[in-house]
Amino acid sequence: MELVLHRTYFEKGTNSVLFLNSKFLGFTIELPWRKNQRSVSCIPEGTYVLKPRFSDKFKHHLLLENVENRSLILIHPANDALKELRGCIAPVTYLSGIGKGTTSKLLFQKIVSLCYQAFERKEQVILTIKS
């Protein structure tokens, strides 16, 4: 299964259109590009393997593996990149501004459900990020 993010970079955030197997799924928000600096930048473009992860804070969510010079890059719900993200990716149902969106939990739950079904089928889930 392949998720693809098509990014647009702005000074105060990064907005993307999210596709699943070439079909529109929703949008994502991230921090602006600041040369992959920890906690203040989105991650580099590339292809990443997604793995299931569980925490008390986010419950079931997704982890991106092998992000260069970064760790614990997650896909989790958030509606304001600058206030709620530290390098992670947040799916949003609607974009409401640069690095901002609405109804994050709704799209997040859909993505997690689709990915966990793929994991149960022993499928590899990848995320490709490009501009």
Side-chain angles (χ1 to χ4, degrees):
M1 186 171 107
E2 181 181 21
L3 294 162
V4 177
L5 284 183
H6 286 277
R7 278 183 176 163
T8 303
Y9 298 95
F10 300 97
E11 186 178 323
K12 295 190 177 190
T14 302
N15 292 354
S16 301
V17 181
L18 178 64
F19 296 91
L20 171 61
N21 298 327
S22 301
K23 294 182 182 175
F24 174 78
L25 193 58
F27 302 95
T28 67
I29 58 171
E30 298 172 78
L31 293 171
W33 175 249
R34 294 190 177 135
K35 300 181 181 175
N36 199 31
Q37 294 176 65
R38 291 178 190 213
S39 301
V40 297
S41 176
C42 59
I43 63 170
E45 294 178 11
T47 299
Y48 302 95
V49 174
L50 297 180
K51 294 293 183 184
R53 186 171 186 274
F54 183 87
S55 71
D56 289 337
K57 182 175 183 179
F58 297 119
K59 308 301 180 210
H60 291 283
H61 57 282
L62 301 164
L63 171 73
L64 281 73
E65 286 198 324
N66 301 316
V67 179
E68 184 180 348
N69 299 318
R70 303 284 288 275
S71 60
L72 284 177
I73 301 299
L74 311 175
I75 295 177
H76 67 77
N79 291 308
D80 187 323
L82 290 177
K83 292 181 181 176
E84 301 174 83
L85 299 178
R86 297 186 64 206
C88 297
I89 300 170
V92 294
T93 304
Y94 305 101
L95 291 171
S96 60
I98 295 170
K100 294 181 180 182
T102 63
T103 326
S104 181
K105 285 184 182 176
L106 184 65
L107 182 57
F108 168 75
Q109 290 169 345
K110 181 177 182 177
I111 292 167
V112 167
S113 176
L114 291 166
C115 290
Y116 274 67
Q117 289 173 47
F119 298 143
E120 288 177 15
R121 294 188 302 266
K122 307 292 187 215
E123 289 179 28
Q124 184 178 53
V125 180
I126 61 168
L127 173 67
T128 299
I129 302 172
K130 53 188 169 182
S131 58

